[in-house]
Amino acid sequence: MPSRMYGEGPAVAFELFDLAGKRALVTGSSQGIGFAIARGLAEHGASVVLNGRERNKLEAAAASLTAAGHKVAVAGFDVTAAEDVCEGIATIERTVGAIDILVNNAGMQFRAPLEDFPVEKWEQLLRTNVSSAFYVGQAVARHMIPRGKGKIINIASVQSELARPGIAPYTATKGAIKNLTRGMCADWAKHGLQINAIAPGYFKTPLNQALVDDPTFSAWLEKRTPASRWGNVDELIGAAVFLSGDASSFVNGHTLYVDGGITTCL
């Protein structure tokens, strides 16, 4: 059930997207999509906890949000190590405060023909893109369940639905995220949690910089995508705010594609 009933008018409507008093942990948030989402949640009132692998980038990201007047904390634990995750989440809950919103954004990409794909990169992709979402999601849910509420957003991809040469293992991991989201919903919705996914299309990020800089690929993408362009990371903020707030109180197990329409043209 929604946490409160609503009347009419713009002020009341805004409450559906108001994150004041909420705390959000965003993994992989020192740059790119994760940082944009963390900033967007902060701009809508949430205090944010940033997580990432590179401490210098993490501190710089936190400093920029702090300078903008937002409430920020940093948690630099390794999301691919189950024990580190449990300790890191427990520390946040104990010293920073309860996690109301989790965004599982940590991820990586590696491109190679499938027949030549290195086994160690396959295993790294699984740890970074899938295991991290399981480890962090489980650790956070164990705190959310007794409270009877919580929001978990997993970052999927258009590759949850599509395939392209050279990235079959990445495609496999993002397909897994889509179904992990469904599974989390099946187990945890009864406890008052909403678990959904955002599936970005092709966005200008450090992860995609090589493709952004490739004129042949960019021309193909513009022709392939109904919106005829790359996405900008700020265009993911609205989806993240919607899935983090009361506006999505009865949305569960859903994957929201933010892709300029590319998945409409299978």
Side-chain angles (χ1 to χ4, degrees):
M1 294 179 62
S3 59
R4 55 183 181 267
M5 300 301 292
Y6 296 94
E8 298 178 353
V12 173
F14 179 76
E15 291 181 20
L16 291 169
F17 303 93
D18 182 12
L19 304 179
K22 304 293 184 182
R23 181 171 293 101
L25 167 62
V26 185
T27 68
S29 50
S30 61
Q31 63 181 4
I33 287 173
F35 178 72
I37 288 175
R39 175 170 49 80
L41 298 183
E43 288 170 349
H44 282 74
S47 62
V48 295
V49 182
L50 304 183
N51 166 270
R53 292 177 295 183
E54 298 181 43
R55 192 75 186 188
N56 290 342
K57 286 185 177 180
L58 202 58
E59 295 289 357
S64 68
L65 293 181
T66 300
H70 303 306
K71 296 178 181 178
V72 186
V74 169
F77 59 86
D78 181 0
V79 296
T80 69
E83 290 184 4
D84 290 355
V85 167
C86 288
E87 182 179 343
I89 297 303
T91 298
I92 294 170
E93 288 271 339
R94 184 177 65 252
T95 65
V96 182
I99 298 168
D100 304 292
I101 302 158
L102 166 64
V103 181
N104 273 317
N105 171 73
M108 65 166 289
Q109 174 65 289
F110 184 83
R111 299 176 176 87
L114 185 57
E115 65 273 18
D116 299 321
F117 207 93
V119 171
E120 65 273 15
K121 289 298 182 182
W122 162 260
E123 293 173 347
Q124 187 181 10
L125 278 166
L126 287 175
R127 289 194 305 271
T128 306
N129 295 359
V130 182
S131 294
S132 68
F134 168 74
Y135 296 152
V136 182
Q138 183 187 65
V140 170
R142 285 171 173 166
H143 292 273
M144 290 179 168
I145 287 170
R147 295 193 284 262
K149 59 182 180 179
K151 301 276 189 171
I152 296 176
I153 302 169
N154 297 320
I155 301 301
S157 167
V158 291
Q159 261 66 56
S160 300
E161 198 70 34
L162 307 176
R164 192 167 56 79
I167 59 167
Y170 178 83
T171 299
T173 65
K174 290 304 181 178
I177 286 295
K178 179 178 179 178
N179 270 343
L180 179 61
T181 299
R182 289 170 166 166
M184 287 177 169
C185 169
D187 273 45
W188 297 337
K190 63 188 176 187
H191 298 294
L193 279 59
Q194 286 92 49
I195 306 93
N196 296 288
I198 296 173
Y202 288 90
F203 280 75
K204 294 179 180 179
T205 68
L207 198 67
N208 283 330
Q209 194 59 51
L211 298 180
V212 174
D213 294 338
D214 181 345
T216 301
F217 184 87
S218 286
W220 170 85
L221 178 67
E222 290 170 7
K223 183 177 180 181
R224 176 71 171 76
T225 306
S228 301
R229 64 176 176 85
W230 286 87
N232 297 307
V233 290
D234 284 357
E235 292 177 294
L236 291 165
I237 292 173
V241 171
F242 165 66
L243 293 177
S244 295
D246 285 342
S248 59
S249 60
F250 202 56
V251 180
N252 227 328
H254 177 69
T255 297
L256 174 56
Y257 289 87
V258 185
D259 63 359
I262 195 169
T263 48
T264 66
C265 304
L266 297 177

